[in-house]
Amino acid sequence: SQTIHQWPATLVQPVGSPLSLECTVEGTSNPNLYWYRQAAGRGLQLLFYSVGIGQISSEVPQNLSASRPQDRQFILSSKKLLLSDSGFYLCAWSSGDTQYFGPGTRLTVL
Amino acid sequence: GQQVMQIPQYQHVQEGEDFTTYCNSSTTLSNIQWYKQRPGGHPVFLIQLVKSGEVKKQKRLTFQFGEAKKNSSLHITATQTTDVGTYFCAPGTASKLTFGTGTRLQVTL
């Protein structure tokens, strides 16, 4: 069966520090991969999605970037975090219309 | 992406009462999915609706897709405390979903 991993589960970072969040999927090949951000008590904002290795589509211009170095690995990065980057970051995968979410990373930028 | 409005944003019910959340679009949707997110958790897929006028049931949950495929609803009969969470509708094409703003459900004894 398919599983999706995200780490770390929680993260506290100072403003201006770099960020790297990793997501890996097991049990499937060539999935579509997604990064979402959810502010406290709010909906899901799609940040990036990828349909294949090295293929990244950005939905919202910001100081974040994404990379897909391997088929089942998706990385979210920032060179310098802002206070507004705080939130719940969710990775998801799909091979059809349904999306399956990872456990998420709760990021607090101080 | 396709924009949808979900109402209400929040509802508080007593256990045993019914609950309904609505998802409305100004454009025709090819399909719509529903997800549930428990407090502190991640969204979990509930169901997908594709056909005009489609009705699907999962135990106490009833999902409907409007005849014009511009709206959808989720109805929970006799809510339980386990129903607490935020319910999102998500129309989508080509595996790219646009999540609605969500309806947060609180159930108390």
Side-chain angles (χ1 to χ4, degrees), chain B residues 72-109:
Chain B
S72 181
S73 65
L74 158 59
H75 179 81
I76 303 178
T77 304
T79 55
Q80 300 175 358
T81 54
T82 53
D83 296 323
V84 165
T86 301
Y87 294 84
F88 293 98
C89 65
T93 56
S95 294
K96 186 179 160 188
L97 300 176
T98 301
F99 283 81
T101 48
T103 296
R104 187 161 69 94
L105 173 65
Q106 179 64 31
V107 181
T108 52
L109 295 171

XYZ file of all heavy atoms in Angstrom, chain B residues 72-109:
276
model
N -22.809 21.428 -4.477
C -22.752 20.129 -3.824
C -23.032 20.321 -2.343
O -22.875 21.432 -1.815
C -21.369 19.494 -4.016
O -21.307 18.218 -3.416
N -23.471 19.260 -1.701
C -23.722 19.345 -0.266
C -23.305 18.056 0.427
O -23.241 16.984 -0.187
C -25.201 19.624 0.011
O -25.992 18.537 -0.407
N -22.998 18.220 1.693
C -22.704 17.086 2.575
C -23.642 17.203 3.769
O -23.658 18.237 4.445
C -21.246 17.145 3.031
C -20.868 16.391 4.310
C -21.185 14.911 4.186
C -19.407 16.606 4.633
N -24.405 16.169 3.994
C -25.358 16.157 5.097
C -24.982 15.023 6.058
O -24.755 13.896 5.618
C -26.780 15.941 4.574
C -27.822 15.884 5.644
N -28.362 17.015 6.223
C -28.411 14.828 6.262
C -29.239 16.657 7.137
N -29.295 15.342 7.182
N -24.897 15.359 7.336
C -24.634 14.349 8.354
C -25.881 14.206 9.210
O -26.376 15.194 9.791
C -23.427 14.710 9.232
C -22.169 14.911 8.369
C -23.184 13.611 10.265
C -20.934 15.311 9.149
N -26.386 12.992 9.297
C -27.555 12.704 10.122
C -27.111 12.316 11.521
O -26.182 11.537 11.684
C -28.364 11.558 9.498
O -28.705 11.908 8.151
C -29.625 11.273 10.283
N -27.779 12.869 12.510
C -27.507 12.503 13.912
C -26.022 12.564 14.231
O -25.371 11.543 14.455
C -28.077 11.119 14.208
N -25.490 13.770 14.255
C -24.048 13.952 14.463
C -23.568 13.292 15.751
O -24.308 13.155 16.741
C -23.696 15.446 14.517
O -24.505 16.084 15.524
C -23.910 16.113 13.177
N -22.303 12.903 15.690
C -21.614 12.351 16.857
C -20.352 13.175 17.084
O -19.895 13.886 16.176
C -21.264 10.876 16.609
C -22.469 9.998 16.354
C -22.100 8.578 15.999
O -20.923 8.220 15.907
N -23.112 7.742 15.783
N -19.777 13.036 18.270
C -18.565 13.815 18.567
C -17.422 13.453 17.634
O -16.518 14.251 17.399
C -18.133 13.627 20.020
O -17.995 12.234 20.298
C -19.177 14.213 20.986
N -17.461 12.260 17.070
C -16.417 11.852 16.121
C -16.507 12.583 14.791
O -15.596 12.503 13.958
C -16.480 10.343 15.852
O -17.822 10.011 15.467
C -16.096 9.539 17.081
N -17.614 13.312 14.573
C -17.775 14.071 13.329
C -17.075 15.422 13.376
O -17.017 16.124 12.363
C -19.261 14.288 13.028
C -20.008 12.994 12.767
O -19.415 12.084 12.150
O -21.174 12.884 13.196
N -16.557 15.782 14.543
C -15.883 17.072 14.694
C -14.739 17.195 13.698
O -13.969 16.256 13.489
C -15.354 17.225 16.137
C -14.343 18.353 16.229
C -16.494 17.444 17.097
N -14.629 18.364 13.091
C -13.547 18.622 12.144
C -13.969 19.657 11.134
O -15.034 20.262 11.247
N -13.126 19.838 10.139
C -13.425 20.763 9.054
C -13.644 19.973 7.779
O -12.842 19.105 7.435
C -12.279 21.776 8.855
O -12.089 22.500 10.071
C -12.619 22.757 7.748
N -14.725 20.279 7.101
C -15.092 19.586 5.884
C -14.832 20.511 4.694
O -15.328 21.634 4.646
C -16.556 19.159 5.938
C -16.808 18.113 7.002
C -17.031 18.478 8.324
C -16.790 16.761 6.690
C -17.229 17.526 9.311
C -16.995 15.795 7.670
C -17.205 16.185 8.966
O -17.404 15.224 9.945
N -14.057 20.009 3.752
C -13.698 20.785 2.567
C -14.295 20.142 1.324
O -14.221 18.929 1.144
C -12.175 20.816 2.367
C -11.417 21.560 3.423
C -10.815 20.882 4.471
C -11.274 22.933 3.343
C -10.089 21.566 5.443
C -10.552 23.625 4.305
C -9.963 22.933 5.355
N -14.863 20.969 0.452
C -15.172 20.494 -0.882
C -14.007 20.897 -1.784
O -13.297 21.869 -1.497
C -16.488 21.070 -1.398
S -16.498 22.853 -1.650
N -13.824 20.140 -2.859
C -12.677 20.397 -3.733
C -13.008 19.973 -5.147
O -12.922 18.788 -5.479
C -11.440 19.673 -3.220
N -13.400 20.941 -5.975
C -13.544 20.597 -7.383
C -12.163 20.488 -7.993
O -11.198 21.100 -7.517
C -14.313 21.794 -7.953
C -13.980 22.925 -7.043
C -13.726 22.334 -5.690
N -12.055 19.702 -9.043
C -10.726 19.561 -9.597
C -10.733 19.038 -11.005
O -11.658 18.360 -11.435
N -9.691 19.356 -11.713
C -9.469 18.822 -13.052
C -8.016 18.392 -13.146
O -7.145 19.033 -12.556
C -9.755 19.879 -14.123
O -8.959 21.031 -13.872
C -11.222 20.259 -14.136
N -7.805 17.328 -13.850
C -6.446 16.842 -14.114
C -5.608 16.751 -12.847
O -4.471 17.199 -12.799
C -5.756 17.748 -15.131
N -6.188 16.209 -11.808
C -5.499 15.986 -10.541
C -5.052 17.261 -9.847
O -4.158 17.225 -9.008
C -4.302 15.072 -10.733
O -4.732 13.790 -11.103
N -5.616 18.374 -10.207
C -5.288 19.608 -9.498
C -6.573 20.122 -8.871
O -7.507 20.511 -9.566
C -4.720 20.643 -10.469
C -4.210 21.894 -9.806
C -3.657 22.825 -10.866
C -3.590 24.250 -10.330
N -3.240 25.188 -11.400
N -6.621 20.076 -7.550
C -7.840 20.441 -6.839
C -7.766 21.863 -6.318
O -6.695 22.354 -5.981
C -8.061 19.493 -5.659
C -8.218 18.014 -5.998
C -8.334 17.208 -4.720
C -9.432 17.802 -6.871
N -8.925 22.483 -6.225
C -9.043 23.783 -5.569
C -9.916 23.585 -4.342
O -11.104 23.331 -4.470
C -9.676 24.817 -6.500
O -8.880 24.950 -7.679
C -9.766 26.173 -5.795
N -9.332 23.683 -3.184
C -10.085 23.430 -1.965
C -10.929 24.638 -1.590
O -10.476 25.787 -1.674
C -9.148 23.086 -0.814
C -8.631 21.679 -0.896
C -7.572 21.371 -1.736
C -9.216 20.657 -0.169
C -7.099 20.072 -1.840
C -8.761 19.361 -0.258
C -7.697 19.061 -1.104
N -12.168 24.359 -1.177
C -13.018 25.407 -0.645
C -12.489 25.886 0.686
O -11.521 25.359 1.226
N -13.168 26.899 1.220
C -12.727 27.504 2.480
C -13.006 26.617 3.681
O -12.438 26.815 4.739
C -13.421 28.848 2.687
O -14.825 28.676 2.460
C -12.890 29.894 1.706
N -13.861 25.633 3.507
C -14.123 24.680 4.575
C -15.231 25.098 5.511
O -15.519 26.287 5.685
N -15.880 24.117 6.108
C -16.868 24.340 7.165
C -16.387 23.605 8.404
O -16.192 22.390 8.347
C -18.256 23.820 6.778
O -18.744 24.560 5.668
C -19.218 23.946 7.948
N -16.202 24.359 9.475
C -15.744 23.741 10.716
C -16.959 23.329 11.542
O -17.830 24.150 11.833
C -14.865 24.695 11.500
C -14.211 24.065 12.727
C -13.012 24.885 13.196
N -13.399 26.155 13.760
C -13.597 26.377 15.046
N -13.493 25.394 15.906
N -13.920 27.580 15.472
N -17.002 22.056 11.881
C -18.107 21.510 12.663
C -17.661 21.215 14.075
O -16.668 20.522 14.286
C -18.639 20.223 12.007
C -19.685 19.443 12.801
C -20.968 20.261 12.965
C -19.990 18.107 12.123
N -18.411 21.745 15.018
C -18.184 21.449 16.425
C -19.417 20.734 16.951
O -20.542 21.175 16.714
C -17.931 22.746 17.212
C -17.708 22.540 18.684
C -16.448 21.738 18.983
O -15.469 21.797 18.251
N -16.491 20.952 20.031
N -19.216 19.622 17.635
C -20.314 18.840 18.188
C -20.112 18.708 19.684
O -19.037 18.288 20.139
C -20.366 17.426 17.565
C -21.545 16.635 18.133
C -20.463 17.512 16.049
N -21.137 19.086 20.434
C -21.040 18.949 21.885
C -22.143 18.039 22.412
O -23.190 17.890 21.796
C -21.132 20.317 22.578
O -22.301 21.003 22.113
C -19.912 21.153 22.272
N -21.861 17.458 23.577
C -22.819 16.519 24.171
C -24.014 17.250 24.760
O -23.924 18.410 25.136
C -22.112 15.697 25.269
C -20.993 14.787 24.780
C -20.247 14.203 25.971
C -21.593 13.669 23.925
